[in-house]
C-alpha cells in the first residue's frame, strides 16, 4: 500500500485509491488544517498503473516547491515533497508507491 510521511511528525498516511485532502471534516480522507487550505484541496488517485496528484484548490499545491497545474494529474515519484499551499507549514513526503492492496 502506498503512503505519505508527514515530515513534521513522522506520521505515515496510508493512501486509498482515491484519497482526498482538505479542511472539510467528514468529506476528506486526510484533514489538513489552515485558513489557506481549501475544503477540498487535492486528491491522490491510483490510475491502475501509477499514483497521480490533482490540485482541486484555490491556493495551489506544490510538488518539490513547484506549483502544479490545477485539475491536471501530476505523476508522483518516490521522495516527492507535497505541500498544500506556499504558506502551509506542513509537508508530505511520498514514501511508498506500492499499488493499493
Amino acid at each position: 500500500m502506498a503512503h505519505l510521511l508527514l515530515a513534521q511528525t513522522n506520521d505515515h498516511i496510508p493512501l486509498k485509491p482515491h484519497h482526498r485532502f482538505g479542511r472539510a471534516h467528514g468529506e476528506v480522507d486526510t484533514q489538513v488544517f489552515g485558513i489557506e487550505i481549501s475544503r477540498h484541496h487535492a486528491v491522490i488517485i491510483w490510475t491502475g498503473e501509477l499514483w497521480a496528484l490533482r490540485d482541486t484548490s484555490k491556493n495551489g499545491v506544490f510538488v518539490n516547491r513547484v506549483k502544479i497545474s490545477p485539475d491536471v494529474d501530476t505523476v508522483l515519484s518516490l521522495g516527492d515533497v507535497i505541500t498544500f499551499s506556499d504558506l502551509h507549514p506542513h509537508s508530505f513526503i511520498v514514501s511508498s508507491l506500492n499499488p493499493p492492496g
Side-chain angles (χ1 to χ4, degrees):
M1 172 182 291
H3 59 270
L4 303 179
L5 178 69
L6 180 56
Q8 289 70 23
T9 63
N10 286 329
D11 289 332
H12 288 272
I13 300 163
L15 294 176
K16 297 178 180 179
H18 185 93
H19 198 98
R20 300 161 300 164
F21 296 84
R23 282 187 299 116
H25 178 71
E27 298 176 25
V28 296
D29 301 299
T30 298
Q31 197 169 18
V32 182
F33 299 100
I35 60 170
E36 67 280 357
I37 303 300
S38 298
R39 291 177 48 75
H40 302 110
H41 202 90
V43 62
I44 294 179
I45 302 163
W46 172 251
T47 69
E49 296 181 11
L50 50 83
W51 291 93
L53 172 66
R54 185 179 303 149
D55 176 8
T56 57
S57 74
K58 295 181 180 170
N59 292 327
V61 174
F62 296 76
V63 175
N64 302 324
R65 297 186 181 178
V66 176
K67 189 173 185 178
I68 65 172
S69 298
D71 295 319
V72 175
D73 290 350
T74 298
V75 175
L76 292 173
S77 298
L78 199 59
D80 280 346
V81 178
I82 301 166
T83 50
F84 296 122
S85 160
D86 57 348
L87 302 173
H88 198 266
H90 292 108
S91 55
F92 298 83
I93 302 167
V94 178
S95 52
S96 172
L97 289 172
N98 293 331

